[in-house]
Amino acid sequence: MRQTPANRSIPLWHWPTVDRERWLGAIQPSSIFDLKEGDLSQLAPITIEGIAHGYGQWLNWLHQEEPSLLLLRPADRATIERLRAYHSAMIGRGLADYTMASRIRSIAGALGAIEPGHDWSIIQLAADRVHREAKPKKAIGKILQPAADVLDFGFSLMESAIPGMNDLDAGGYGSLRFRDGLLIAFLILCPLRRRNLASLALGKGLEKQGGHWQIRIPGEETKSGREIYCRWPSLLDEALDEYLAVHRPALLARYPVRGPATEALWISRLGGKMTSHAIYETVCRRTEVEFGTAIYPHAFRHIAATTIATLAPEQTDLIMTILGHVSMRSSYKYYNKARTLGAAERMNGTRAKVRRALQNTWWPEQNLRSSG
């Protein structure tokens, strides 16, 4: 979804003073003997960030409706009538049910910390109802593509971006194509969540050990709370070397910024770190041109899980590892999906190709694991 005034989130430092100060107090680390109402300090940082982002979207909607509403106390703004109007506005903008449930749940979570003396359970119950009755906005079967085809597309982008070929110069459109190809190929081989993907940086998240690049994301930064530790896909070793030696430096040099250069792995066309939203739009734009329908980053996780369920159904624990599921309940649906989508028939022609391409990347359990 493109950033527009209607869907932006007001950042924390622009929140009303009362909201900001109480929120900061609620997320401050506390000892086990500090029993304070609305304490969020024990939540994972990624969870706290998500709640703040959703609450910022609520504040933005209030500001769009009537700026003076932000002068009211937090509890006085969150009337049932306004919450109903907010829900109707989200429906009118065509947001997915799961997105609406998440935003409503964020309001309940934030208000529980900012105004702990109130009972906000009705908002949480409303979010639960929206989630329970949610219907997928897009038919996932129309989005999924064979893993081998997506991998081939990533490589074709990189191959067409070699400096000196097709008049594509390093640092120009050629480097952007190479970056996008590497990004797409990486996603099909190691489908991290978008936030974790955007956070990868040299020396932090991506480290070289024993001649190989390793990915290590601490548990406090993952949705499941478990550390992700895996080898960079060996199939992309040469591509990563090419990107780090030629294209990443060239992209950094396009628009030099003051101060030290970013250590982020994925560099934007403006020479800075790619945000998770920029990654989303880039992947969707590239795949829509190639396949006729956009494959959003989260769908790569479905492709990976469905591929394993189809080609290696005996490796049930591998889906849990790749997707970071805490239990098999979330993973079993991919076995059903593999059957109902006719994935086996669709992949007959690429079965051997997928096995060859993936067997040395994320298929072996020892190459990708989540630590408990």
Side-chain angles (χ1 to χ4, degrees):
M1 177 180 294
R2 293 187 177 277
Q3 290 283 16
T4 66
N7 67 31
R8 71 182 291 265
S9 173
I10 294 180
L12 175 61
W13 55 89
H14 286 158
W15 286 11
T17 302
V18 172
D19 302 66
R20 182 177 65 254
E21 291 181 349
R22 291 185 179 180
W23 174 261
L24 291 174
I27 64 175
Q28 287 301 312
S30 59
S31 80
I32 59 174
F33 301 105
D34 293 332
L35 303 178
K36 58 182 180 181
E37 288 187 299
D39 185 11
L40 300 181
S41 62
Q42 301 305 311
L43 296 180
I46 192 171
T47 302
I48 293 174
E49 183 179 343
I51 295 173
H53 184 77
Y55 188 69
Q57 289 169 319
W58 158 248
L59 293 177
N60 177 64
W61 179 80
L62 291 171
H63 178 74
Q64 295 283 328
E65 289 293 299
E66 178 55 60
S68 63
L69 290 175
L70 298 187
L71 299 177
L72 300 176
R73 294 183 63 83
D76 294 336
R77 301 184 208 119
T79 64
I80 296 300
E81 291 73 19
R82 288 199 188 97
L83 288 164
R84 285 198 182 110
Y86 183 49
H87 182 224
S88 297
M90 289 191 288
I91 293 175
R93 289 173 45 218
L95 296 187
D97 291 339
Y98 291 115
T99 299
M100 291 190 287
S102 176
R103 293 192 181 186
I104 296 171
R105 189 174 287 119
S106 293
I107 297 173
L111 287 175
I114 295 170
E115 295 274 23
H118 289 68
D119 180 6
W120 302 110
S121 60
I122 189 171
I123 303 180
Q124 182 63 53
L125 289 172
D128 292 343
R129 178 179 176 182
V130 173
H131 190 277
R132 185 171 58 252
E133 299 175 356
K135 297 178 181 178
K137 185 178 179 182
K138 301 177 182 177
I140 192 67
K142 297 180 180 179
I143 296 174
L144 300 187
Q145 299 291 330
D149 290 356
V150 181
L151 185 62
D152 282 345
F153 174 53
F155 272 101
S156 69
L157 282 175
M158 289 188 282
E159 289 164 359
S160 68
I162 297 175
M165 293 182 62
N166 304 321
D167 297 323
L168 296 172
D169 59 312
Y173 290 109
S175 289
L176 291 174
R177 286 175 67 86
F178 194 96
R179 179 204 67 190
D180 296 350
L182 180 60
L183 183 58
I184 289 169
F186 176 78
L187 268 173
I188 203 66
L189 296 173
C190 187
L192 296 177
R193 294 185 186 278
R194 183 160 41 115
R195 190 186 303 266
N196 295 140
L197 181 64
S199 73
L200 291 179
L202 303 181
K204 183 180 182 297
L206 185 63
E207 306 168 355
K208 199 162 192 178
Q209 299 177 0
H212 299 294
W213 288 97
Q214 305 285 342
I215 297 169
R216 186 186 293 271
I217 302 173
E220 57 266 23
E221 296 180 13
T222 68
K223 184 176 180 179
S224 67
R226 297 181 176 183
E227 179 191 53
I228 294 175
Y229 177 51
C230 63
R231 186 196 188 287
W232 174 269
S234 59
L235 194 63
L236 299 178
D237 280 346
E238 292 184 8
L240 179 60
D241 290 341
E242 168 81 7
Y243 176 69
L244 294 178
V246 178
H247 301 286
R248 184 178 179 277
L251 290 172
L252 284 170
R254 293 187 76 191
Y255 296 93
V257 296
R258 294 181 179 179
T262 178
E263 294 299 321
L265 175 62
W266 309 111
I267 304 301
S268 74
R269 62 184 179 84
L270 298 179
K273 173 186 175 181
M274 284 187 81
T275 64
S276 63
H277 187 76
I279 288 175
Y280 178 93
E281 290 205 332
T282 295
V283 172
C284 287
R285 184 178 66 254
R286 289 289 191 187
T287 53
E288 184 172 16
V289 171
E290 176 68 13
F291 299 106
T293 184
I295 306 176
Y296 50 88
H298 196 79
F300 281 76
R301 298 167 61 79
H302 292 267
I303 294 174
T306 303
T307 299
I308 294 173
T310 303
L311 302 183
E314 71 280 1
Q315 299 199 43
T316 57
D317 56 342
L318 191 52
I319 290 182
M320 291 179 63
T321 300
I322 290 174
L323 302 191
H325 290 160
V326 177
S327 73
M328 278 302 300
R329 181 183 304 174
S330 299
S331 301
Y332 276 133
K333 66 182 180 182
Y334 293 103
Y335 290 91
N336 296 328
K337 190 170 294 180
R339 290 192 293 269
T340 59
L341 293 180
E345 289 76 15
R346 188 175 61 193
M347 292 187 181
N348 274 341
T350 58
R351 182 184 300 264
K353 186 176 184 180
V354 172
R355 280 193 180 276
R356 285 197 303 272
L358 305 185
Q359 64 184 356
N360 293 321
T361 52
W362 45 253
W363 276 54
E365 184 177 359
Q366 64 269 24
N367 279 354
L368 176 59
R369 67 178 184 272
S370 295
S371 303

PDB file of all heavy atoms in Angstrom, residues 228-250:
ATOM      1  N   ILE A 228      16.720 -16.027  15.029  1.00  0.00           N
ATOM      2  CA  ILE A 228      16.878 -16.625  13.705  1.00  0.00           C
ATOM      3  C   ILE A 228      18.367 -16.639  13.389  1.00  0.00           C
ATOM      4  O   ILE A 228      19.030 -15.605  13.450  1.00  0.00           O
ATOM      5  CB  ILE A 228      16.124 -15.825  12.626  1.00  0.00           C
ATOM      6  CG1 ILE A 228      14.614 -15.902  12.868  1.00  0.00           C
ATOM      7  CG2 ILE A 228      16.461 -16.350  11.231  1.00  0.00           C
ATOM      8  CD1 ILE A 228      13.801 -15.049  11.911  1.00  0.00           C
ATOM      9  N   TYR A 229      18.886 -17.807  13.095  1.00  0.00           N
ATOM     10  CA  TYR A 229      20.308 -17.941  12.788  1.00  0.00           C
ATOM     11  C   TYR A 229      20.455 -18.875  11.601  1.00  0.00           C
ATOM     12  O   TYR A 229      20.040 -20.032  11.653  1.00  0.00           O
ATOM     13  CB  TYR A 229      21.064 -18.493  13.994  1.00  0.00           C
ATOM     14  CG  TYR A 229      22.538 -18.731  13.747  1.00  0.00           C
ATOM     15  CD1 TYR A 229      23.340 -17.734  13.198  1.00  0.00           C
ATOM     16  CD2 TYR A 229      23.122 -19.952  14.071  1.00  0.00           C
ATOM     17  CE1 TYR A 229      24.683 -17.942  12.968  1.00  0.00           C
ATOM     18  CE2 TYR A 229      24.473 -20.174  13.852  1.00  0.00           C
ATOM     19  CZ  TYR A 229      25.244 -19.170  13.299  1.00  0.00           C
ATOM     20  OH  TYR A 229      26.580 -19.377  13.067  1.00  0.00           O
ATOM     21  N   CYS A 230      20.987 -18.383  10.510  1.00  0.00           N
ATOM     22  CA  CYS A 230      21.119 -19.216   9.322  1.00  0.00           C
ATOM     23  C   CYS A 230      22.260 -18.724   8.448  1.00  0.00           C
ATOM     24  O   CYS A 230      22.721 -17.589   8.573  1.00  0.00           O
ATOM     25  CB  CYS A 230      19.820 -19.227   8.510  1.00  0.00           C
ATOM     26  SG  CYS A 230      19.333 -17.611   7.865  1.00  0.00           S
ATOM     27  N   ARG A 231      22.706 -19.601   7.570  1.00  0.00           N
ATOM     28  CA  ARG A 231      23.725 -19.239   6.601  1.00  0.00           C
ATOM     29  C   ARG A 231      23.065 -18.465   5.469  1.00  0.00           C
ATOM     30  O   ARG A 231      21.939 -18.766   5.081  1.00  0.00           O
ATOM     31  CB  ARG A 231      24.379 -20.506   6.037  1.00  0.00           C
ATOM     32  CG  ARG A 231      25.573 -20.244   5.116  1.00  0.00           C
ATOM     33  CD  ARG A 231      25.900 -21.503   4.313  1.00  0.00           C
ATOM     34  NE  ARG A 231      27.123 -21.398   3.544  1.00  0.00           N
ATOM     35  CZ  ARG A 231      27.276 -20.670   2.445  1.00  0.00           C
ATOM     36  NH1 ARG A 231      26.261 -19.946   1.989  1.00  0.00           N
ATOM     37  NH2 ARG A 231      28.424 -20.651   1.795  1.00  0.00           N
ATOM     38  N   TRP A 232      23.754 -17.444   4.959  1.00  0.00           N
ATOM     39  CA  TRP A 232      23.269 -16.786   3.746  1.00  0.00           C
ATOM     40  C   TRP A 232      23.141 -17.862   2.668  1.00  0.00           C
ATOM     41  O   TRP A 232      24.024 -18.720   2.540  1.00  0.00           O
ATOM     42  CB  TRP A 232      24.260 -15.710   3.310  1.00  0.00           C
ATOM     43  CG  TRP A 232      23.922 -15.066   1.994  1.00  0.00           C
ATOM     44  CD1 TRP A 232      24.341 -15.470   0.759  1.00  0.00           C
ATOM     45  CD2 TRP A 232      23.091 -13.921   1.777  1.00  0.00           C
ATOM     46  NE1 TRP A 232      23.822 -14.646  -0.216  1.00  0.00           N
ATOM     47  CE2 TRP A 232      23.050 -13.685   0.380  1.00  0.00           C
ATOM     48  CE3 TRP A 232      22.383 -13.068   2.624  1.00  0.00           C
ATOM     49  CZ2 TRP A 232      22.333 -12.635  -0.181  1.00  0.00           C
ATOM     50  CZ3 TRP A 232      21.666 -12.021   2.062  1.00  0.00           C
ATOM     51  CH2 TRP A 232      21.640 -11.808   0.686  1.00  0.00           C
ATOM     52  N   PRO A 233      22.052 -17.886   1.876  1.00  0.00           N
ATOM     53  CA  PRO A 233      21.872 -18.946   0.876  1.00  0.00           C
ATOM     54  C   PRO A 233      23.098 -19.104  -0.018  1.00  0.00           C
ATOM     55  O   PRO A 233      23.530 -18.152  -0.675  1.00  0.00           O
ATOM     56  CB  PRO A 233      20.654 -18.463   0.078  1.00  0.00           C
ATOM     57  CG  PRO A 233      19.887 -17.623   1.047  1.00  0.00           C
ATOM     58  CD  PRO A 233      20.925 -16.927   1.870  1.00  0.00           C
ATOM     59  N   SER A 234      23.666 -20.307  -0.037  1.00  0.00           N
ATOM     60  CA  SER A 234      24.894 -20.535  -0.803  1.00  0.00           C
ATOM     61  C   SER A 234      24.696 -20.282  -2.286  1.00  0.00           C
ATOM     62  O   SER A 234      25.634 -19.909  -2.996  1.00  0.00           O
ATOM     63  CB  SER A 234      25.386 -21.968  -0.581  1.00  0.00           C
ATOM     64  OG  SER A 234      24.398 -22.907  -0.975  1.00  0.00           O
ATOM     65  N   LEU A 235      23.474 -20.466  -2.774  1.00  0.00           N
ATOM     66  CA  LEU A 235      23.188 -20.231  -4.183  1.00  0.00           C
ATOM     67  C   LEU A 235      23.392 -18.763  -4.557  1.00  0.00           C
ATOM     68  O   LEU A 235      23.585 -18.434  -5.724  1.00  0.00           O
ATOM     69  CB  LEU A 235      21.745 -20.647  -4.485  1.00  0.00           C
ATOM     70  CG  LEU A 235      21.332 -20.806  -5.948  1.00  0.00           C
ATOM     71  CD1 LEU A 235      22.122 -21.927  -6.607  1.00  0.00           C
ATOM     72  CD2 LEU A 235      19.841 -21.081  -6.052  1.00  0.00           C
ATOM     73  N   LEU A 236      23.383 -17.893  -3.543  1.00  0.00           N
ATOM     74  CA  LEU A 236      23.507 -16.455  -3.795  1.00  0.00           C
ATOM     75  C   LEU A 236      24.834 -15.887  -3.297  1.00  0.00           C
ATOM     76  O   LEU A 236      24.977 -14.670  -3.175  1.00  0.00           O
ATOM     77  CB  LEU A 236      22.347 -15.709  -3.120  1.00  0.00           C
ATOM     78  CG  LEU A 236      20.942 -16.072  -3.588  1.00  0.00           C
ATOM     79  CD1 LEU A 236      19.896 -15.293  -2.796  1.00  0.00           C
ATOM     80  CD2 LEU A 236      20.781 -15.812  -5.080  1.00  0.00           C
ATOM     81  N   ASP A 237      25.803 -16.751  -3.012  1.00  0.00           N
ATOM     82  CA  ASP A 237      27.101 -16.265  -2.526  1.00  0.00           C
ATOM     83  C   ASP A 237      27.760 -15.319  -3.528  1.00  0.00           C
ATOM     84  O   ASP A 237      28.201 -14.220  -3.173  1.00  0.00           O
ATOM     85  CB  ASP A 237      28.038 -17.447  -2.245  1.00  0.00           C
ATOM     86  CG  ASP A 237      27.749 -18.102  -0.903  1.00  0.00           C
ATOM     87  OD1 ASP A 237      27.033 -17.491  -0.088  1.00  0.00           O
ATOM     88  OD2 ASP A 237      28.242 -19.225  -0.674  1.00  0.00           O
ATOM     89  N   GLU A 238      27.855 -15.742  -4.783  1.00  0.00           N
ATOM     90  CA  GLU A 238      28.515 -14.910  -5.789  1.00  0.00           C
ATOM     91  C   GLU A 238      27.736 -13.622  -6.040  1.00  0.00           C
ATOM     92  O   GLU A 238      28.322 -12.557  -6.244  1.00  0.00           O
ATOM     93  CB  GLU A 238      28.678 -15.692  -7.092  1.00  0.00           C
ATOM     94  CG  GLU A 238      29.665 -16.845  -6.992  1.00  0.00           C
ATOM     95  CD  GLU A 238      29.865 -17.538  -8.333  1.00  0.00           C
ATOM     96  OE1 GLU A 238      29.357 -17.015  -9.355  1.00  0.00           O
ATOM     97  OE2 GLU A 238      30.527 -18.592  -8.358  1.00  0.00           O
ATOM     98  N   ALA A 239      26.412 -13.729  -6.011  1.00  0.00           N
ATOM     99  CA  ALA A 239      25.588 -12.539  -6.231  1.00  0.00           C
ATOM    100  C   ALA A 239      25.792 -11.528  -5.107  1.00  0.00           C
ATOM    101  O   ALA A 239      25.869 -10.317  -5.353  1.00  0.00           O
ATOM    102  CB  ALA A 239      24.118 -12.933  -6.330  1.00  0.00           C
ATOM    103  N   LEU A 240      25.894 -12.014  -3.867  1.00  0.00           N
ATOM    104  CA  LEU A 240      26.121 -11.102  -2.746  1.00  0.00           C
ATOM    105  C   LEU A 240      27.486 -10.438  -2.871  1.00  0.00           C
ATOM    106  O   LEU A 240      27.623  -9.227  -2.625  1.00  0.00           O
ATOM    107  CB  LEU A 240      26.019 -11.857  -1.420  1.00  0.00           C
ATOM    108  CG  LEU A 240      26.263 -11.017  -0.159  1.00  0.00           C
ATOM    109  CD1 LEU A 240      25.243  -9.884  -0.056  1.00  0.00           C
ATOM    110  CD2 LEU A 240      26.213 -11.889   1.095  1.00  0.00           C
ATOM    111  N   ASP A 241      28.508 -11.218  -3.248  1.00  0.00           N
ATOM    112  CA  ASP A 241      29.839 -10.633  -3.436  1.00  0.00           C
ATOM    113  C   ASP A 241      29.805  -9.532  -4.494  1.00  0.00           C
ATOM    114  O   ASP A 241      30.408  -8.465  -4.317  1.00  0.00           O
ATOM    115  CB  ASP A 241      30.835 -11.722  -3.846  1.00  0.00           C
ATOM    116  CG  ASP A 241      31.143 -12.692  -2.713  1.00  0.00           C
ATOM    117  OD1 ASP A 241      30.885 -12.329  -1.546  1.00  0.00           O
ATOM    118  OD2 ASP A 241      31.622 -13.808  -2.997  1.00  0.00           O
ATOM    119  N   GLU A 242      29.106  -9.791  -5.593  1.00  0.00           N
ATOM    120  CA  GLU A 242      28.987  -8.795  -6.668  1.00  0.00           C
ATOM    121  C   GLU A 242      28.263  -7.545  -6.171  1.00  0.00           C
ATOM    122  O   GLU A 242      28.671  -6.413  -6.453  1.00  0.00           O
ATOM    123  CB  GLU A 242      28.231  -9.413  -7.845  1.00  0.00           C
ATOM    124  CG  GLU A 242      27.791  -8.430  -8.918  1.00  0.00           C
ATOM    125  CD  GLU A 242      28.890  -8.072  -9.895  1.00  0.00           C
ATOM    126  OE1 GLU A 242      29.971  -8.698  -9.822  1.00  0.00           O
ATOM    127  OE2 GLU A 242      28.672  -7.173 -10.716  1.00  0.00           O
ATOM    128  N   TYR A 243      27.198  -7.750  -5.415  1.00  0.00           N
ATOM    129  CA  TYR A 243      26.416  -6.624  -4.906  1.00  0.00           C
ATOM    130  C   TYR A 243      27.244  -5.773  -3.945  1.00  0.00           C
ATOM    131  O   TYR A 243      27.250  -4.534  -4.040  1.00  0.00           O
ATOM    132  CB  TYR A 243      25.163  -7.151  -4.205  1.00  0.00           C
ATOM    133  CG  TYR A 243      24.320  -6.085  -3.543  1.00  0.00           C
ATOM    134  CD1 TYR A 243      23.610  -5.154  -4.302  1.00  0.00           C
ATOM    135  CD2 TYR A 243      24.228  -6.007  -2.154  1.00  0.00           C
ATOM    136  CE1 TYR A 243      22.833  -4.179  -3.701  1.00  0.00           C
ATOM    137  CE2 TYR A 243      23.454  -5.038  -1.542  1.00  0.00           C
ATOM    138  CZ  TYR A 243      22.758  -4.123  -2.316  1.00  0.00           C
ATOM    139  OH  TYR A 243      21.998  -3.154  -1.708  1.00  0.00           O
ATOM    140  N   LEU A 244      27.959  -6.433  -3.030  1.00  0.00           N
ATOM    141  CA  LEU A 244      28.740  -5.698  -2.037  1.00  0.00           C
ATOM    142  C   LEU A 244      29.944  -4.998  -2.653  1.00  0.00           C
ATOM    143  O   LEU A 244      30.345  -3.919  -2.203  1.00  0.00           O
ATOM    144  CB  LEU A 244      29.208  -6.651  -0.931  1.00  0.00           C
ATOM    145  CG  LEU A 244      28.111  -7.258  -0.048  1.00  0.00           C
ATOM    146  CD1 LEU A 244      28.723  -8.213   0.972  1.00  0.00           C
ATOM    147  CD2 LEU A 244      27.311  -6.173   0.660  1.00  0.00           C
ATOM    148  N   ALA A 245      30.518  -5.594  -3.688  1.00  0.00           N
ATOM    149  CA  ALA A 245      31.722  -5.024  -4.296  1.00  0.00           C
ATOM    150  C   ALA A 245      31.417  -3.928  -5.308  1.00  0.00           C
ATOM    151  O   ALA A 245      32.191  -2.975  -5.453  1.00  0.00           O
ATOM    152  CB  ALA A 245      32.537  -6.133  -4.968  1.00  0.00           C
ATOM    153  N   VAL A 246      30.289  -4.047  -6.015  1.00  0.00           N
ATOM    154  CA  VAL A 246      30.013  -3.126  -7.125  1.00  0.00           C
ATOM    155  C   VAL A 246      28.760  -2.285  -6.899  1.00  0.00           C
ATOM    156  O   VAL A 246      28.818  -1.048  -6.894  1.00  0.00           O
ATOM    157  CB  VAL A 246      29.873  -3.911  -8.456  1.00  0.00           C
ATOM    158  CG1 VAL A 246      29.529  -2.957  -9.599  1.00  0.00           C
ATOM    159  CG2 VAL A 246      31.146  -4.685  -8.752  1.00  0.00           C
ATOM    160  N   HIS A 247      27.637  -2.938  -6.720  1.00  0.00           N
ATOM    161  CA  HIS A 247      26.359  -2.227  -6.789  1.00  0.00           C
ATOM    162  C   HIS A 247      25.994  -1.480  -5.510  1.00  0.00           C
ATOM    163  O   HIS A 247      25.479  -0.362  -5.579  1.00  0.00           O
ATOM    164  CB  HIS A 247      25.255  -3.208  -7.176  1.00  0.00           C
ATOM    165  CG  HIS A 247      25.511  -3.871  -8.484  1.00  0.00           C
ATOM    166  ND1 HIS A 247      25.368  -3.215  -9.687  1.00  0.00           N
ATOM    167  CD2 HIS A 247      25.949  -5.129  -8.791  1.00  0.00           C
ATOM    168  CE1 HIS A 247      25.683  -4.034 -10.684  1.00  0.00           C
ATOM    169  NE2 HIS A 247      26.037  -5.199 -10.165  1.00  0.00           N
ATOM    170  N   ARG A 248      26.252  -2.074  -4.357  1.00  0.00           N
ATOM    171  CA  ARG A 248      25.931  -1.364  -3.117  1.00  0.00           C
ATOM    172  C   ARG A 248      26.760  -0.085  -2.982  1.00  0.00           C
ATOM    173  O   ARG A 248      26.203   0.985  -2.682  1.00  0.00           O
ATOM    174  CB  ARG A 248      26.133  -2.290  -1.914  1.00  0.00           C
ATOM    175  CG  ARG A 248      25.718  -1.658  -0.587  1.00  0.00           C
ATOM    176  CD  ARG A 248      25.894  -2.638   0.573  1.00  0.00           C
ATOM    177  NE  ARG A 248      25.521  -2.009   1.832  1.00  0.00           N
ATOM    178  CZ  ARG A 248      26.327  -1.243   2.544  1.00  0.00           C
ATOM    179  NH1 ARG A 248      27.571  -1.014   2.113  1.00  0.00           N
ATOM    180  NH2 ARG A 248      25.914  -0.697   3.666  1.00  0.00           N
ATOM    181  N   PRO A 249      28.092  -0.134  -3.182  1.00  0.00           N
ATOM    182  CA  PRO A 249      28.868   1.113  -3.120  1.00  0.00           C
ATOM    183  C   PRO A 249      28.407   2.141  -4.148  1.00  0.00           C
ATOM    184  O   PRO A 249      28.404   3.347  -3.872  1.00  0.00           O
ATOM    185  CB  PRO A 249      30.300   0.648  -3.404  1.00  0.00           C
ATOM    186  CG  PRO A 249      30.319  -0.791  -3.023  1.00  0.00           C
ATOM    187  CD  PRO A 249      28.964  -1.311  -3.384  1.00  0.00           C
ATOM    188  N   ALA A 250      28.023   1.655  -5.340  1.00  0.00           N
ATOM    189  CA  ALA A 250      27.582   2.582  -6.385  1.00  0.00           C
ATOM    190  C   ALA A 250      26.277   3.261  -5.992  1.00  0.00           C
ATOM    191  O   ALA A 250      26.084   4.458  -6.244  1.00  0.00           O
ATOM    192  CB  ALA A 250      27.411   1.828  -7.700  1.00  0.00           C
TER     193      ALA A 250
END
